[in-house]
Amino acid sequence: MKPKISTSKIIWSYVLGALVLVPFMALGQEANFPPPDQPIRISASKAYGNISIDGKLDEADWENAEAITDFFRVEPVQGGKIKNLTSVRILYDDQNIYFGVFCSDSLGKKGIRMQDLRRDFNSGENDVFGIQIDAQNTKQYAVSFQTTPYGNQQDLQSFNDNNTDEDWNALWRVRTQRTDEGYYAEFAIPFKSIRYDKPMAGTPVEWGVTFFRLARKDFEKTVFPAIPQSFSQNRMVYAAKLTGLEVPPPSANIRVEPYALYQYDENKAGNRVTGKLNEPKVGGDVKWAISPNAVLDLTINTDFAQADVDRAVNNLERFNIFFPERRQFFLENSGIWAGGGNFQVRPFFSRTIGLENSFNAAPAPLDAGLRYTDRNEDRTLAVLAVRQRETEDSPGSTFGVGRYTKNYGKENNIGAMVTYRLDDSLESLGIENQNNTTISIDGLIRPKSEITLSYLLSASLDSERGKTGYSGSLFAGSRTNKYYMGYQNTFVSQDYDPDMGFVFQKDVMLHSPGGYAILRPKSLPFVRRWDPGAFVNYYHDFENFGNFQQANIYIFPIYTWFKDNSFVEASFTPTWQNINFDFAPLGLAIEEGEYNYTRFLTRYNSDQSKKLSGSISYDMGKFYNGHRNTLNLGMRYAPMPHISLSANYENNNINGLGILQEDLDTDLYSVNLRVALNPRVQLSTFYQYNSFDEQGRWNVRFSWEYMPLSFIYLVFNDTQTDIFDPVQRSTQFISKITFLKQF
């Protein structure tokens, strides 16, 4: 007998979710403060001698520079006495801007927390110092340059303190020195790596700047100037004004990055070779800063050999899985295209480029690509065009996307975007040419710093289907030091087909209100932060509003970080499902009907900054007409920053599920070893095995940054699938060298 969905149960669960929110709905906004009417002003000094980037700060010019020490504590509590003091000095010459930093630590070298030496590190697990620069004074955009006590580099772009592009790479240098009193960091950032407006005679140059530091052993985060705890260091409306600079006028600024590689691929079925590739390849990228605002990127015979491989996932939900972009050319400036999109709807998703006509298809080579961005404090214009080569199984394709964003007020913008995909005809496969277009409008509004509104409306038109479809989203949220509350609405029509985008499901509308308190209980000194709350997710048909699909209420009374940033959660999720389509998670067919069940989750992460750390989660309860228990275990051992070993295990134990009331056990293992001589020479190995499809995969990658942003890569990939008879195996070896020259 099919279980029925009880309307009264849904109503009472909604009431319970609302009651969880009531205690903090009345919380005030104390401790939040607005941006200053007159920003703090700091000054850079001209360097008259040579500045050697060695992390010592022993040149006379550093002694004469103004020291910036008035940092503001935001973690573990906002305000109060700072335990780990920081000092920053700023110099410049004709080519670079320099930042000299001293981060004091009472334990000196022993107080440093470091997990590994990779570039673009995890800033929450290590000691970090970062610089954010808004050289065009947009108050909505910043570039960030970050380092650790060991000189790792991380650079990123931030858009509206809402989207970040962590794979943006600029040419800059940093060196560090660790001492018994703390550590020094010395940055040299070329003016050519920063986009700023042309200096005007008689008008002083002023840049927006913020700094932040995380002393990880105490989880003490400090910022300059003062920024409320509820925002990040990228909220540039709070930035200080950096004055005293004499910047060079714009000049020829061209960055050329050619590459050469050798690639060997072999596919086998049993002992029989079914395919082989053995070829050299050359290509490259060119970045031309046409003006301080405009940048043109060109790529020829584009290659992504060094990109990370996707991790295997066992999908038990009714939604499509979102796999993030990992390719460098598409990652740079990716925040420009994000707009009002999210992980549920994206009118433009770059992973559709370079694949044979479908998201999960085989890779297809790219002949060339172009990206143009023109940004100033008032607006952003961006264009991307890529040509995909024809293969035996897919016609050639041309991809194009254009975007315009207009800024207004302090932190508001409105934008429009058009995508266009043209697939060629291919007589051998009987395919005629076809095209797909989307048109989108989106925007962000911040009437107050703690309130964010964003919206998206998109339409698609496909020549093959001849139908127009629609999608959109609306978000409204308030974030203060005391609470977060928000509402997300997303809809997708049945005919919405963004061939250059991503949707999590068609013919659906989602309503998701919820929030949580942010408590820092003085009576529990071992607790840094406790965020109890609830989120409601209600799905119904878009075409037929009365047709219920599913609903759940995620209720988390225990969601707590301790003083060392270890974490514990205890939550439960009442769930209602209406299955009226063919649905078979992991091949287990679910009978059409209505289901009501509750799932329970507990998880714990130890302090992830320690040499030995671990995590565990257990998700249990009913699942449709059966039961599912999911166990996740994680471990990482990093005896020194040069060596890091991590392992993860997932087990799904399913009983009595589906029409046949079947049982199923799946195991997913993964191991990662990272060895580094220094931040520029690293070896990473990754192995994963999935018992569900009996597939194992190796990814081994050696990288040497022999000059700034110039690399040598050696990559080995091996995938073997035992579920087939005969066994399927794919092996790949790639050697690649890149060379970057900036003129």
Side-chain angles (χ1 to χ4, degrees):
M1 181 178 177
K2 303 175 188 175
K4 296 293 183 183
I5 297 175
S6 168
T7 302
S8 62
K9 286 184 178 179
I10 296 178
I11 293 173
W12 278 110
S13 294
Y14 275 19
V15 171
L16 177 60
L19 289 175
V20 173
L21 301 180
V22 165
F24 62 90
M25 288 175 66
L27 288 173
Q29 297 176 16
E30 58 187 86
N32 255 50
F33 47 87
D37 293 330
Q38 296 296 325
I40 294 175
R41 303 178 74 83
I42 57 177
S43 180
S45 300
K46 187 174 180 62
Y48 293 97
N50 181 58
I51 303 297
S52 176
I53 305 303
D54 53 17
K56 297 180 179 179
L57 307 185
D58 53 3
E59 292 87 356
D61 284 311
W62 286 120
E63 292 295 326
N64 298 327
E66 171 191 351
I68 301 162
T69 59
D70 190 19
F71 277 65
F72 178 77
R73 188 175 68 176
V74 292
E75 291 288 355
V77 294
Q78 179 172 297
K81 185 177 180 181
I82 296 174
K83 181 178 181 180
N84 302 281
L85 301 176
T86 306
S87 172
V88 181
R89 300 171 190 264
I90 308 172
L91 298 173
Y92 70 93
D93 58 21
D94 293 338
Q95 294 182 322
N96 302 302
I97 182 170
Y98 303 94
F99 295 86
V101 183
F102 177 64
C103 299
S104 68
D105 193 307
S106 59
L107 297 182
K109 297 177 183 179
K110 295 181 180 179
I112 290 173
R113 295 288 178 89
M114 283 292 300
Q115 293 307 304
D116 55 48
L117 296 180
R118 60 181 166 168
R119 189 184 177 102
D120 296 333
F121 50 86
N122 186 325
S123 59
E125 298 176 357
N126 304 286
D127 278 79
V128 183
F129 177 83
I131 304 159
Q132 291 64 239
I133 299 175
D134 175 16
Q136 295 176 309
N137 297 297
T138 67
K139 298 183 175 60
Q140 301 191 37
Y141 170 78
V143 292
S144 179
F145 303 90
Q146 303 174 18
T147 194
T148 72
Y150 279 79
N152 306 42
Q153 287 179 266
Q154 173 155 274
D155 35 25
L156 58 84
Q157 296 172 307
S158 173
F159 302 84
N160 296 103
D161 192 20
N162 193 34
N163 295 304
T164 57
D165 173 8
E166 296 184 355
D167 291 274
W168 173 76
N169 285 330
L171 195 63
W172 58 287
R173 291 179 295 153
V174 65
R175 292 294 184 270
T176 58
Q177 293 285 337
R178 300 173 297 282
T179 73
D180 291 335
E181 289 78 38
Y183 68 92
Y184 290 89
E186 192 169 19
F187 296 74
I189 305 173
F191 286 115
K192 287 188 175 183
S193 294
I194 302 174
R195 304 287 170 253
Y196 54 85
D197 295 331
K198 182 178 180 180
M200 305 294 291
T203 302
V205 174
E206 295 184 349
W207 291 0
V209 173
T210 69
F211 307 124
F212 85 97
R213 179 192 175 187
L214 178 64
R216 186 56 181 81
K217 78 178 191 305
D218 302 308
F219 207 83
E220 182 181 68
K221 181 178 179 182
T222 54
V223 297
F224 175 87
I227 301 173
Q229 190 180 61
S230 53
F231 309 137
S232 85
Q233 61 275 0
N234 300 315
R235 188 61 69 95
M236 300 308 288
V237 290
Y238 289 86
K241 285 298 180 186
L242 175 60
T243 64
L245 288 173
E246 297 175 10
V247 299
S251 60
N253 188 348
I254 299 177
R255 200 170 90 179
V256 179
E257 188 177 6
Y259 77 83
L261 69 77
Y262 167 76
Q263 180 173 339
Y264 176 82
D265 292 355
E266 183 179 85
N267 298 319
K268 284 186 174 182
N271 294 321
R272 182 172 61 88
V273 176
T274 59
K276 184 180 288 188
L277 175 68
N278 188 349
E279 67 176 15
K281 185 178 178 181
V282 294
D285 299 337
V286 177
K287 182 184 291 289
W288 176 24
I290 302 170
S291 72
N293 300 327
V295 179
L296 177 66
D297 293 274
L298 301 173
T299 180
I300 301 171
N301 208 18
T302 315
D303 177 77
F304 307 108
Q306 71 275 17
D308 287 337
V309 296
D310 287 323
R311 295 348 187 197
V313 176
N314 289 324
N315 186 15
L316 291 162
E317 303 300 329
R318 54 198 285 176
F319 305 122
N320 298 323
I321 297 177
F322 181 89
F323 287 98
E325 177 63 86
R326 297 181 182 273
R327 299 169 297 176
Q328 185 63 37
F329 179 77
F330 296 111
L331 285 167
E332 286 199 20
N333 287 301
S334 58
I336 290 176
W337 316 107
N342 50 40
F343 290 120
Q344 296 157 338
V345 175
R346 289 200 176 187
F348 173 62
F349 182 41
S350 57
R351 284 200 62 151
T352 57
I353 301 175
L355 295 173
E356 294 181 343
N357 279 342
S358 66
F359 182 79
N360 291 314
L366 302 181
D367 289 323
L370 173 152
R371 179 177 59 232
Y372 174 80
T373 56
D374 188 345
R375 179 191 293 113
N376 61 32
E377 60 183 299
D378 296 321
R379 54 102 182 106
T380 299
L381 173 65
V383 176
L384 174 71
V386 178
R387 177 60 187 177
Q388 179 174 300
R389 193 178 308 160
E390 177 184 310
T391 67
E392 292 181 356
D393 302 314
S394 178
S397 300
T398 301
F399 301 83
V401 55
R403 176 160 176 76
Y404 180 82
T405 305
K406 175 66 176 177
N407 301 330
Y408 63 97
K410 282 189 175 181
E411 298 183 81
N412 311 318
N413 64 59
I414 183 171
M417 183 168 65
V418 177
T419 70
Y420 181 76
R421 173 173 179 164
L422 174 64
D423 294 330
D424 301 340
S425 60
L426 187 59
E427 188 174 344
S428 61
L429 296 179
I431 297 176
E432 296 182 356
N433 65 5
Q434 55 193 47
N435 63 78
N436 179 276
T437 304
T438 67
I439 301 174
S440 307
I441 297 174
D442 63 84
L444 181 141
I445 302 172
R446 282 205 178 112
K448 300 174 66 176
S449 290
E450 64 270 17
I451 297 175
T452 298
L453 307 172
S454 65
Y455 55 90
L456 166 72
L457 180 62
S458 182
S460 72
L461 178 62
D462 189 89
S463 64
E464 183 182 24
R465 303 173 187 87
K467 294 182 178 180
T468 301
Y470 301 93
S471 74
S473 66
L474 174 66
F475 169 78
S478 176
R479 182 184 301 275
T480 75
N481 291 356
K482 299 294 185 180
Y483 69 86
Y484 165 81
M485 292 190 68
Y487 169 76
Q488 174 74 49
N489 173 270
T490 303
F491 70 88
V492 185
S493 73
Q494 181 64 44
D495 296 321
Y496 184 68
D497 289 304
D499 278 2
M500 291 178 61
F502 172 84
V503 294
F504 73 121
Q505 182 183 324
K506 292 187 178 183
D507 190 16
V508 65
M509 177 171 277
L510 162 66
H511 307 270
S512 181
Y516 50 85
I518 300 176
L519 309 176
R520 299 177 185 267
K522 295 181 180 179
S523 60
L524 300 174
F526 54 88
V527 172
R528 181 175 68 85
R529 176 171 167 170
W530 174 24
D531 293 8
F535 285 91
V536 175
N537 298 289
Y538 183 90
Y539 303 81
H540 59 79
D541 287 358
F542 176 74
E543 312 287 350
N544 180 4
F545 270 43
N547 191 2
F548 170 80
Q549 293 186 4
Q550 65 168 316
N552 65 66
I553 306 177
Y554 170 45
I555 302 171
F556 42 101
I558 299 176
Y559 201 91
T560 304
W561 289 268
F562 299 102
K563 289 293 186 181
D564 62 358
N565 213 45
S566 57
F567 171 80
V568 65
E569 175 187 357
S571 61
F572 59 100
T573 308
T575 302
W576 299 263
Q577 298 276 1
N578 179 26
I579 302 299
N580 56 7
F581 61 100
D582 292 336
F583 180 51
L586 299 185
L588 305 179
I590 305 297
E591 183 179 5
E592 292 189 9
E594 299 173 344
Y595 300 89
N596 174 210
Y597 52 87
T598 299
R599 298 197 54 76
F600 301 87
L601 172 68
T602 57
R603 64 185 176 115
Y604 172 77
N605 300 330
S606 68
D607 181 354
Q608 298 294 295
S609 72
K610 288 189 174 181
K611 293 181 178 181
L612 180 63
S613 62
S615 62
I616 181 172
S617 72
Y618 192 61
D619 183 9
M620 63 181 182
K622 292 185 177 181
F623 188 61
Y624 297 97
N625 64 325
H627 289 79
R628 172 173 67 87
N629 298 328
T630 298
L631 173 68
N632 280 280
L633 299 173
M635 179 278 294
R636 181 175 60 199
Y637 179 55
M640 61 183 70
H642 303 78
I643 301 174
S644 176
L645 173 67
S646 61
N648 292 279
Y649 170 70
E650 176 194 89
N651 172 260
N652 284 300
N653 176 248
I654 300 172
N655 296 287
L657 182 65
I659 297 173
L660 302 180
Q661 297 188 344
E662 298 175 83
D663 299 338
L664 177 66
D665 267 292
T666 69
D667 297 294
L668 184 61
Y669 308 87
S670 61
V671 180
N672 181 226
L673 173 66
R674 185 181 293 272
V675 181
L677 181 64
N678 54 50
R680 292 163 291 283
V681 181
Q682 305 207 25
L683 174 69
S684 174
T685 63
F686 174 78
Y687 177 75
Q688 187 173 54
Y689 179 77
N690 190 347
S691 68
F692 175 69
D693 56 8
E694 299 181 37
Q695 184 180 88
R697 58 176 70 182
W698 279 98
N699 173 242
V700 182
R701 183 176 59 179
F702 169 81
S703 65
W704 173 25
E705 188 178 5
Y706 63 93
M707 291 174 56
L709 292 182
S710 297
F711 294 88
I712 292 176
Y713 298 102
L714 299 175
V715 182
F716 173 76
N717 294 310
D718 183 88
T719 302
Q720 181 169 309
T721 307
D722 296 338
I723 198 170
F724 297 114
D725 186 19
V727 172
Q728 307 290 310
R729 184 173 184 178
S730 299
T731 304
Q732 181 183 69
F733 172 77
I734 298 169
S735 58
K736 179 178 180 179
I737 183 169
T738 71
F739 173 76
L740 187 143
K741 178 65 175 178
Q742 183 161 306
F743 299 95

